Amino acid sequence: DIIVNEGNIESRPILRLEKSIDDEVDITINNVRFIYSFGKDTHVEIDCENKTIKYEGLNRNRQVEIGYEFPKLNIGNNQVIFNSGSCNLKVKRKDRWL
C-alpha cells in the first residue's frame, strides 16, 4: 500500500489504527516497523510528532513494540507494509486526514 504526502515538507503524522479481526498488527511504514496489540481496544492513535500512543485519552505505550524512531511521511509516495494482521489505517497529516 502507498500513502501519498502531497505537501512540500516531510510530516510526522497521527496514525489511527482501527481494529478489524486481528488482535495484533505488525506494520512497516518507510522502514519503521512496529507491532500493536489491541486487546479490548477498538482503535488507537499514534502521534508520531509527540511520540504518544493513546486510546480514548489513555496511555497505550505498553501495547506497542517500536524502536526509538516513529514513522514519518516523506514528500510523495510512502510505502506501507502489513507484515502480519490487519486493521484499518487512517493517517492525519498536520490538519487533514489522508
Side-chain angles (χ1 to χ4, degrees):
D1 293 331
I2 299 289
I3 298 173
V4 179
N5 177 359
E6 296 175 350
N8 58 4
I9 59 171
E10 74 179 23
S11 175
R12 297 228 177 244
I14 296 173
L15 305 173
R16 181 179 171 102
L17 309 180
E18 296 176 349
K19 184 177 181 178
S20 57
I21 58 172
D22 296 304
D23 287 332
E24 185 174 276
V25 65
D26 180 346
I27 302 173
T28 302
I29 299 176
N30 288 338
N31 299 319
V32 176
R33 187 170 183 169
F34 61 95
I35 300 170
Y36 187 78
S37 300
F38 285 98
K40 295 183 181 182
D41 298 346
T42 57
H43 67 275
V44 67
E45 289 192 358
I46 301 172
D47 185 332
C48 297
E49 179 73 30
N50 297 313
K51 298 184 179 182
T52 59
I53 302 155
K54 297 195 178 215
Y55 167 74
E56 301 293 329
L58 302 172
N59 184 314
R60 289 296 189 254
N61 288 347
R62 290 185 179 182
Q63 272 96 310
V64 73
E65 292 178 38
I66 192 168
Y68 178 74
E69 282 295 313
F70 277 62
K72 66 181 175 185
L73 299 180
N74 299 316
I75 299 167
N77 293 340
N78 296 271
Q79 185 176 29
V80 178
I81 300 169
F82 285 86
N83 302 299
S84 67
S86 65
C87 70
N88 294 321
L89 172 64
K90 295 183 178 178
V91 179
K92 186 175 184 181
R93 180 189 60 84
K94 299 269 186 189
D95 58 353
R96 67 181 187 144
W97 291 98
L98 300 175

